[in-house]
Amino acid sequence: IALNARDVTITNSTIRDIKTVGQDTQAIGGWNGPGPYLIENNYLEAAGENVMFGGSDPAIPGLIPAGITLRGNYLTKPLGWRDPILATPGHVAATVGVGGGLPATAYTYQVVARRPSGQGSVAQSLPSAPAAVSLPATGQVKLTWTPVPTATEYRVYRNMFGIVEYWTVTEATFTDAGVDGLRGALPTKGTVWSVKNLFELKSARDLVIEQNVFENCWLESQVGFAIQLTVRSGGACTWCTIQNLEFRNNVVRHAGAGINILGLDEPERPTVRAANLNIHDNLFYDIHTRWGGAGLFLQVGGAPTNVVVDHNTIDHNGGLLISAYGGTATARQQIPAFTYTNNLSRHGTYGVMGPGLAFGMGTITTYFPNVNFRRNLLSGGDAKNYPADNFFQPDFNTIFASIPDADYRLRPGSPFHLAGTDNRDLGADMGAILPLIAEVPSAAPPPPQGLRIQLR
């Protein structure tokens, strides 16, 4: 759905199987409509960005999508999309025959399945296991293999003395009688769908993102961040920005990294600085390098202002918790009015770190002027590297009710009860989070609900 309209509601809908190769796909996207938009209680599945605002410069001067509410949605990518689109041909068998002009020697054959994958692209499988054969005299070789569902053609690769040639056929059989093929290297990987992230903003303002489940995001066409809040322009949108965002009471899980924030686009594409991004009371778990990303919670650069990260529970395994960047070694692009309070997380090897800087205070004093960094658990870190009034207990796995069950409630008697700057428990409000996990316990999609779009 392209939300290039005014005042749109999308509710109680299922949108699935939105995918292609070599370009972005979205379940819902908008760049040339003013809003407001209500997107509520939907199942949203897409390979590129499940939901995105911005991305193309609006045709209407000064337009920024605004008044956006994304509430109670399940945004996911099927785990099968990690695998090549086509299965690898199996049971390749080579039989020696007479009557051809193939010289007597040793040959190795491998088969690759192929099919169209949209927008003029062609997907290919991984190469089959090699089938080796030796001709004792001039003759031919007949190959057979198990057909691959949905394949429309196959390429048969032959290696003879290091020279690789291939032929294209439409059936699961091929006879090599000595006719020259085309030269070409054997593919080293199978084609997969172009996967980027679960939620992306490039230009938007006045947003409430709450009570959603964002899951399954891995390294493919991007580096694995589940949430991208990155100001971008195609070059003409000098007014593009991200401002006034409430990101609260969400679950973000099974991803290579958590959130990426970029405050300004590149100098050759001037934009307006991102501001007033409030990320609080969310649960991030299984933010892990197993998904191919860096396993970090937050990357922030490009000088956004007034970013608040408060009362989040974060279970990540990367060496970094927060990566700060921007500018050069002699002129850092600072991130003013940054607040990081009341969060529960592991520290990792380096915790808070910027390029070429010492982790901890070396990065904090350089990138975050007048920072408010208090009352956080950085489990396994060292107090000497961070501002006062934080916690560093090493036993992160033991402070919660049950990590295997995604129950991140603090155990009775925890020192982090009522320990926040606001006298609340540290971390997310699990009373708001656990019902979301109970409602969406796994990656299995719900039954189709039909599609209803209300336009006013």
Side-chain angles (χ1 to χ4, degrees):
I1 299 176
L3 283 182
N4 296 327
R6 179 188 302 276
D7 197 359
V8 181
T9 297
I10 304 174
T11 61
N12 305 319
S13 302
T14 293
I15 304 174
R16 69 179 67 217
D17 207 35
I18 310 301
K19 61 188 189 295
T20 193
V21 173
Q23 67 177 54
D24 286 10
T25 53
Q26 298 94 30
I28 298 173
W31 62 93
N32 197 43
Y37 303 121
L38 173 63
I39 304 169
E40 187 172 47
N41 196 38
N42 304 287
Y43 173 84
L44 303 173
E45 183 182 285
E49 302 88 7
N50 296 53
V51 173
M52 182 171 76
F53 286 95
S56 294
D57 288 349
I60 301 171
L63 183 141
I64 298 174
I68 299 165
T69 300
L70 184 75
R71 177 187 297 125
N73 301 282
Y74 178 23
L75 299 90
T76 188
K77 303 181 192 296
L79 294 180
W81 289 357
R82 297 185 77 186
D83 301 326
I85 294 168
L86 284 163
T88 304
H91 303 99
V92 179
T95 304
V96 173
V98 297
L102 204 59
T105 189
Y107 300 92
T108 300
Y109 296 90
Q110 290 177 266
V111 181
V112 172
R114 291 163 53 88
R115 57 157 276 198
S117 55
Q119 308 298 321
S121 62
V122 176
Q124 62 188 14
S125 72
L126 285 165
S128 70
V133 65
S134 293
L135 275 177
T138 301
Q140 61 185 11
V141 175
K142 182 176 181 180
L143 296 164
T144 60
W145 56 89
T146 303
V148 173
T150 75
T152 58
E153 65 182 29
Y154 303 89
R155 281 192 175 171
V156 181
Y157 289 82
R158 183 188 70 195
N159 189 325
M160 179 182 67
F161 304 131
I163 299 172
V164 177
E165 296 179 273
Y166 71 86
W167 298 261
T168 302
V169 298
T170 57
E171 303 295 331
T173 183
F174 170 71
T175 298
D176 183 6
V179 177
D180 290 342
L182 298 175
R183 295 287 181 95
L186 185 72
T188 58
K189 61 182 180 179
T191 305
V192 295
W193 303 112
S194 297
V195 165
K196 287 196 170 180
N197 57 70
L198 294 160
F199 178 71
E200 180 168 3
L201 300 178
K202 293 186 177 180
S203 184
R205 66 185 179 198
D206 304 331
L207 306 102
V208 175
I209 313 300
E210 62 181 359
Q211 299 175 330
N212 304 282
V213 174
F214 301 90
E215 72 171 12
N216 299 345
C217 186
W218 53 88
L219 172 70
E220 204 288 306
S221 294
Q222 285 183 347
V223 297
F225 281 98
I227 310 297
Q228 292 265 25
L229 310 176
T230 53
V231 177
R232 294 293 189 186
S233 166
C237 186
T238 57
W239 60 88
C240 277
T241 189
I242 301 170
Q243 294 185 353
N244 308 329
L245 166 71
E246 284 279 326
F247 189 92
R248 64 195 182 203
N249 297 327
N250 299 286
V251 175
V252 181
R253 62 188 183 185
H254 315 322
I259 300 178
N260 182 26
I261 298 174
L262 176 69
L264 292 165
D265 204 345
E266 302 300 325
E268 62 270 20
R269 296 187 295 272
T271 54
V272 175
R273 184 188 309 270
N276 307 326
L277 310 181
N278 192 357
I279 300 162
H280 67 92
D281 287 285
N282 304 284
L283 172 62
F284 296 79
Y285 75 95
D286 192 25
I287 307 301
H288 202 284
T289 52
R290 79 177 88 236
W291 300 99
L296 64 87
F297 163 56
L298 175 65
Q299 178 173 280
V300 57
T305 185
N306 195 25
V307 175
V308 175
V309 182
D310 182 54
H311 276 292
N312 299 282
T313 298
I314 304 145
D315 193 354
H316 78 298
N317 84 319
L320 293 178
L321 173 67
I322 299 173
S323 173
Y325 71 98
T328 66
T330 56
R332 304 281 181 176
Q333 202 172 28
Q334 291 188 321
I335 302 163
F338 183 76
T339 295
Y340 191 82
T341 49
N342 306 312
N343 301 288
L344 290 169
S345 75
R346 307 173 197 270
H347 178 267
T349 305
Y350 302 107
V352 182
M353 189 173 181
L357 297 170
F359 68 86
M361 291 302 297
T363 295
I364 291 171
T365 56
T366 300
Y367 271 106
F368 302 109
N370 302 315
V371 69
N372 182 8
F373 196 105
R374 297 179 55 218
R375 293 270 141 178
N376 303 288
L377 170 65
L378 295 95
S379 181
D382 191 329
K384 73 176 185 294
N385 296 317
Y386 288 91
D389 200 20
N390 289 285
F391 306 95
F392 301 90
Q393 281 87 333
D395 50 352
F396 187 80
N397 288 331
T398 65
I399 68 174
F400 301 107
S402 177
I403 286 180
D405 297 317
D407 187 346
Y408 286 85
R409 290 177 296 178
L410 294 173
R411 288 186 175 181
S414 170
F416 308 122
H417 282 298
L418 308 179
T421 58
D422 49 7
N423 297 316
R424 287 176 50 199
D425 291 355
L426 295 191
D429 179 0
M430 293 306 299
I433 295 296
L434 284 175
L436 294 178
I437 295 175
E439 185 175 349
V440 188
S442 71
Q449 301 175 46
L451 181 64
R452 182 172 78 249
I453 305 174
Q454 302 166 4
L455 301 176
R456 298 190 298 275

